[in-house]
Amino acid sequence: MLTLTTEIDVLTRFGRALADPIRCRLLLALREAPAHPADLAETLGISRTRLSNHLACLRDCGLVVAVPVGRRTRYELADPRLGHALDDLRTAVVAVETDRTCAEADEKGCC
């Protein structure tokens, strides 16, 4: 059963999905066109097992849906507006400090 979520929940889910570079690449690929898992794994250069874990996360976040096509499953963005949101986020100007306060930023991939 589908339920409506609060604005905060939507933003939290979107943030969780975007927290991983592979999921970002996956969302951007699905922004271009729906695709089958095997094609997505090849496009992203990752194993199908790894892809499956990321697709499960994106499904749990409510950002992608699995669409049965015969004996196969195709994935697509749950809402076309997500593609527009990704475009807006991609082109947004982000203010990044050049003087990092986190000494481990490069190692941890944070900050």
Side-chain angles (χ1 to χ4, degrees):
M1 176 167 98
L2 293 175
T3 58
L4 296 177
T5 59
T6 66
E7 291 175 344
I8 298 300
D9 189 39
V10 169
L11 292 173
T12 302
R13 289 168 181 267
F14 209 63
R16 186 178 318 129
L18 295 177
D20 184 274
I22 290 176
R23 288 195 294 272
C24 289
R25 292 174 52 213
L26 186 50
L27 286 169
L28 290 173
L30 292 174
R31 179 182 125 267
E32 295 297 323
H36 294 94
D39 299 329
L40 289 166
E42 184 177 327
T43 298
L44 298 177
I46 61 174
S47 70
R48 290 186 189 186
T49 302
R50 195 168 181 195
L51 175 77
S52 177
N53 291 334
H54 287 291
L55 285 172
C57 176
L58 293 174
R59 279 193 319 269
D60 290 346
C61 287
L63 300 180
V64 302
V65 292
V67 179
V69 180
R71 298 174 79 180
R72 298 177 71 194
T73 300
R74 182 185 72 219
Y75 282 85
E76 60 189 50
L77 295 178
D79 186 320
R81 292 175 290 185
L82 291 171
H84 299 294
L86 288 167
D87 286 338
D88 288 344
L89 287 171
R90 246 180 357 99
T91 59
V93 176
V94 182
V96 178
E97 293 289 330
T98 56
D99 179 27
R100 294 183 179 172
T101 57
C102 179
E104 300 172 340
D106 291 330
E107 293 172 16
K108 291 184 177 180
C110 61
C111 307

